[in-house]
């Protein structure tokens, strides 16, 4: 393997280390570094979240993003959700304060949604994304995730 592939694999592994269930509230989190080398202003992470009807009919995917890195002037992390012709986004406007962005919800029913994470300038950012597939009555439904892009 070349150095670029190894670095990319290590970055993906670090990012995916946060994927999983956290506690009885069925919180799903993905966390880790984006742009580990710190030199790609357009660094983008794309994940496919699949919502399925295992606890009622899925109505929406809800999510927020938290920038856990110290503040850097002009640098913010963004989260966008899209499915079909629908899209919505949010930004953590205060990095490092341990509070997430406003939570967003995309009503697209069951199936696959894309979650895109990016930042506004070069530099490593450590982020955490919380995401849930939910019914119209806010009951948690089946949720899977697969990282598709990390560059």
């Amino acid at each position: 393997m070349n150095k670029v592939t190894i670095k990319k694999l290590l970055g993906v592994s670090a990012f995916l280390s946060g994927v999983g269930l956290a506690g009885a509230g069925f919180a799903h989190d993905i966390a880790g570094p984006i742009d580990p080398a710190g030199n790609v202003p357009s660094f983008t992470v794309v994940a496919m979240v699949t919502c399925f009807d295992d606890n009622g009919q899925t109505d929406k995917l809800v999510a927020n993003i938290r920038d856990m890195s110290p503040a850097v002037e002009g640098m913010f992390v963004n989260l966008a959700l899209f499915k079909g012709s629908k899209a919505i986004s949010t930004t953590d406007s205060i990095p490092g304060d341990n509070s997430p962005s406003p939570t967003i919800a995309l009503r697209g029913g069951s199936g696959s949604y894309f979650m895109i994470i990016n930042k506004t300038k070069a530099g490593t950012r450590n982020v955490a994304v919380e995401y849930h597939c939910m019914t119209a009555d806010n009951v948690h439904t089946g949720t899977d995730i697969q990282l598709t892009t990390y560059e």
Side-chain angles (χ1 to χ4, degrees):
M1 281 187 168
N2 65 34
K3 288 182 183 181
V4 174
T5 304
I6 291 170
K7 284 182 183 179
K8 187 173 180 181
L9 181 61
L10 291 173
V12 169
S13 296
F15 196 75
L16 284 176
S17 68
V19 176
L21 296 175
F26 296 104
H28 292 274
D29 298 297
I30 186 169
I34 57 174
D35 191 11
N39 58 7
V40 182
S42 61
F43 198 93
T44 302
V45 177
V46 180
M48 185 171 57
V49 178
T50 303
C51 298
F52 53 94
D53 302 342
D54 73 341
N55 200 23
Q57 185 174 4
T58 301
D59 177 60
K60 60 191 169 269
L61 174 63
V62 298
N64 62 52
I65 189 167
R66 183 168 38 105
D67 187 344
M68 301 179 295
S69 303
V72 172
E73 187 172 336
M75 184 180 290
F76 300 100
V77 295
N78 309 298
L79 169 70
L81 305 176
F82 78 90
K83 182 178 183 194
S85 63
K86 297 179 179 184
I88 190 169
S89 64
T90 188
T91 300
D92 183 351
S93 60
I94 307 174
D97 71 346
N98 207 30
S99 294
S101 68
T103 298
I104 55 176
L106 184 62
R107 294 186 114 108
S110 295
S112 296
Y113 294 75
F114 286 93
M115 182 166 55
I116 301 171
I117 301 161
N118 65 5
K119 58 192 180 62
T120 56
K121 65 192 265 186
T124 300
R125 304 311 290 166
N126 286 305
V127 300
V129 175
E130 183 179 349
Y131 59 97
H132 311 274
C133 297
M134 307 291 284
T135 68
D137 295 327
N138 294 318
V139 174
H140 197 276
T141 65
T143 308
D144 284 331
I145 190 167
Q146 178 182 2
L147 191 65
T148 62
T149 304
Y150 186 81
E151 52 190 27

